[in-house]
Amino acid sequence: WPRADQRVCAQAADVRIAELLRIAPGDPVLKITRISFDSSDVPREYTVSVYRSDFYFLEMSLES
């Protein structure tokens, strides 16, 4: 897809997420929500991902 909107936020793990990620409830996690669009700007994909904050890093390259 040529375009995607993505939001990254920190939150506390609820009981279900903590169990799945093998962490304690309330531990910090990173939640990423993304909507991908096709070349006609129609939304085609919606994803929600939750990551352990101790195993995740964000790397970016910025160019002008």
Side-chain angles (χ1 to χ4, degrees):
W1 312 120
R3 182 174 80 85
D5 294 333
Q6 182 167 285
R7 170 182 236 173
V8 180
C9 66
Q11 65 182 42
D14 62 24
V15 173
R16 179 175 173 266
I17 293 295
E19 183 179 310
L20 290 168
L21 296 179
R22 297 183 177 152
I23 57 176
D27 278 359
V29 294
L30 293 173
K31 180 180 177 181
I32 300 177
T33 305
R34 181 172 54 229
I35 302 172
S36 300
F37 298 84
D38 68 15
S39 58
S40 297
D41 209 34
V42 175
R44 296 294 183 171
E45 178 186 55
Y46 176 77
T47 62
V48 177
S49 304
V50 180
Y51 298 91
R52 288 178 55 148
S53 60
D54 59 341
F55 287 165
Y56 186 85
F57 65 92
L58 180 63
E59 184 174 315
M60 291 184 261
S61 296
L62 304 173
E63 297 181 31
S64 58

